[in-house]
Amino acid sequence: MKCENEVGTTSMRATPPRPGEELIRVGLCDDAIRLARSLRQLMPDQPEVAGVLALMLLQHSRRRARLDDDGELVTLNDQDRARWDRAEIDEALEMLESALRRGAAGPYQLQAAITACHARAATAAQIDWPQIAGLYALLETQAPSPVVRLNRAVAVAMAGDLDTGLAMVDELGTDPRMARYHLLDAARADMLRRRGDPRGAADAYRRALPLAPSEAERRFLRRRITEL
């Protein structure tokens, strides 16, 4: 999972990408969804199978909104929700709700539930960040990892507790597994920017810049630095 609030996950672009720059392989995603549908037919009573398919559909539903017409990254909060695939979202939400009624949710169902919070919100301002933070806390007990912890930190900050979010990010900065993970500093920068520390935010963006894996993400980070 990525911290989509600051550096959005990537999708198709209007013009063909240069070699090595393809940001999302839509055909591969379609194949994965097709295989997940087949698996669900074989295992209809497994809630986690439904959970992973719902997660795939919810993530895939945003593919057209993740880049603008110039191929520039659009953060989750700034995406045009009219470009999201509502049929895929509706299918995924119905599937997820049915799976969750069967008992305790597993990691895939929790990830789908987190993504569903974004899908259900009519606008970015209506996203239920406290609920997302709580779901990440549950996910962390089942599938602990520094990336899950980082996503939880972002949700905590977006829910209004910037100081706690930043403290969680700073703690993750001591984890060697995160040493070259650009989203750690990107998330820190966004929190500092929203707390009114443009110099600290710009420094964090500069640390993230050489670690970003794609040119679209590097352009996004450069824009953030320029804005500050």
Side-chain angles (χ1 to χ4, degrees), residues 40 59 84 125:
R40 187 166 180 249
Q59 294 284 9
W84 292 3

Side-chain angles (χ1 to χ4, degrees), residues 1-9 147 150-151 154 181 183 187:
M1 294 179 297
K2 286 191 175 184
C3 299
E4 286 188 288
N5 185 59
E6 182 51 18
V7 179
T9 55
V147 175
L150 177 58
N151 277 275
V154 170
Y181 191 59
L183 292 178

Side-chain angles (χ1 to χ4, degrees), residues 25-172:
R25 298 172 65 182
V26 177
L28 187 61
C29 293
D30 289 337
D31 286 343
I33 290 172
R34 177 179 55 79
L35 290 172
R37 289 189 189 280
S38 297
L39 182 61
R40 187 166 180 249
Q41 289 179 343
L42 293 171
M43 305 174 69
D45 297 325
Q46 293 297 320
E48 276 290 82
V49 173
V52 73
L53 178 54
L55 176 60
M56 287 181 179
L57 289 169
L58 288 168
Q59 294 284 9
H60 199 50
S61 71
R62 299 199 292 261
R63 62 193 177 278
R64 299 185 188 94
R66 286 177 171 149
L67 296 177
D68 65 19
D69 292 338
D70 295 323
E72 300 298 336
L73 264 174
V74 182
T75 62
L76 179 57
N77 276 0
D78 293 332
Q79 287 176 13
D80 180 358
R81 290 166 183 254
R83 301 184 70 180
W84 292 3
D85 189 322
R86 293 308 313 182
E88 288 184 337
I89 290 172
D90 291 343
E91 179 187 2
L93 292 179
E94 182 179 356
M95 188 184 310
L96 176 62
E97 289 167 5
S98 176
L100 290 173
R101 286 195 292 267
R102 298 184 184 181
Y108 284 122
Q109 293 168 83
L110 289 173
Q111 291 178 65
I114 290 166
T115 311
C117 289
H118 296 286
R120 290 191 180 98
T123 66
Q126 295 176 352
I127 296 171
D128 190 343
W129 286 105
Q131 181 180 9
I132 291 174
L135 288 168
Y136 270 121
L138 289 174
L139 180 61
E140 194 173 13
T141 65
Q142 295 192 24
S145 79
V147 175
V148 171
R149 181 75 171 174
L150 177 58
N151 277 275
R152 181 182 174 190
V154 170
V156 167
M158 291 298 296
D161 194 345
L162 273 170
D163 289 341
T164 298
L166 274 167
M168 294 170 70
V169 168
D170 289 340
E171 179 185 351
L172 285 167

Side-chain angles (χ1 to χ4, degrees), residues 188-189 192-193 197-205 207 228:
R188 177 186 285 113
L192 291 171
R193 179 175 62 88
D197 182 2
R199 178 174 296 181
D203 287 343
Y205 281 130
R207 290 193 298 272
L228 290 168

